[in-house]
């Protein structure tokens, strides 16, 4: 989905439930894609504030990516590393490491995602686009449905 589409869907979800952590996390990532680091950081902070145990890792990853985009790389790295034990390699966890220029760490997290379905879903995050073309990324995503060309 495009960043504008993701932002719009998140806005709709938040109109229905202003404490929906995942919607703040998705909107933070969308705003990063749109170049709005300040808005992304606001949403990342809200995602963390409203996170449940099941969404904490992705919420912290979203905030870490927003911190990196805002230029606070020390805080971003601390936040990104804090997110890892909350949900190793799940969802958006590799994204802040790409934003920090740590491709190896991002690929390690992607590789440690336990199922191919979850890995393929994670690999589609716009924040991981910089990994496309990397031989390791290509190997890890070779079997993803979105990689297959239709005749």
């Amino acid at each position: 989905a495009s960043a504008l589409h993701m932002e719009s869907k998140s806005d709709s979800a938040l109109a229905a439930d202003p404490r929906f952590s995942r919607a703040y996390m998705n909107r933070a990532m969308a705003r990063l894609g749109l170049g709005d680091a300040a808005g992304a950081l606001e949403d990342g902070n809200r995602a963390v504030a409203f996170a449940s145990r099941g969404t904490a890792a992705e919420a912290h990853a979203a905030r870490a990516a927003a911190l990196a985009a805002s230029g606070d790389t020390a805080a971003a790295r601390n936040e990104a590393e804090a997110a890892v034990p909350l949900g190793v390699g799940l969802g958006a966890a590799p994204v802040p490491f790409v934003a920090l220029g740590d491709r190896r760490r991002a690929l390690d997290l992607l590789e440690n995602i336990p199922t191919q379905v979850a890995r393929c879903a994670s690999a589609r995050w716009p924040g991981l686009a910089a990994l496309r073309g990397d031989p390791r990324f290509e190997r890890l995503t070779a079997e993803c449905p979105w990689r297959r060309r239709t005749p």
Side-chain angles (χ1 to χ4, degrees):
S2 75
L4 283 173
H5 180 72
M6 190 185 318
E7 183 181 42
S8 175
K9 286 184 70 143
S10 298
D11 288 343
S12 296
L14 290 167
D17 180 0
R19 296 178 60 89
F20 188 16
S21 177
R22 188 171 300 280
Y24 282 114
M25 186 266 302
N26 285 339
R27 191 169 73 180
M29 296 302 215
R31 286 180 168 176
L32 285 174
L34 296 169
D36 180 7
L41 185 54
E42 272 184 43
D43 284 339
N45 288 334
R46 288 185 182 127
V48 169
F50 297 128
S52 66
R53 188 174 187 171
T55 60
E58 290 181 329
H60 283 279
R63 181 161 67 183
L67 284 164
S70 298
D72 192 345
T73 57
R77 179 158 302 276
N78 289 338
E79 186 80 15
E81 290 294 350
V84 172
L86 299 173
V88 177
L90 296 177
V95 173
F97 293 99
V98 173
L100 290 164
D102 192 346
R103 297 167 65 92
R104 183 198 53 79
R105 184 78 166 115
L107 288 164
D108 287 348
L109 289 169
L110 191 62
E111 189 167 39
N112 287 327
I113 294 175
T115 68
Q116 184 69 22
V117 170
R119 185 179 306 121
C120 289
S122 182
R124 290 196 71 178
W125 277 101
L128 298 184
L131 297 176
R132 292 193 182 115
D134 180 288
R136 189 170 169 205
F137 180 84
E138 297 301 319
R139 178 182 53 79
L140 290 169
T141 61
E143 299 301 316
C144 294
W146 50 268
R147 297 290 308 254
R148 296 186 193 125
R149 298 192 190 274
T150 54

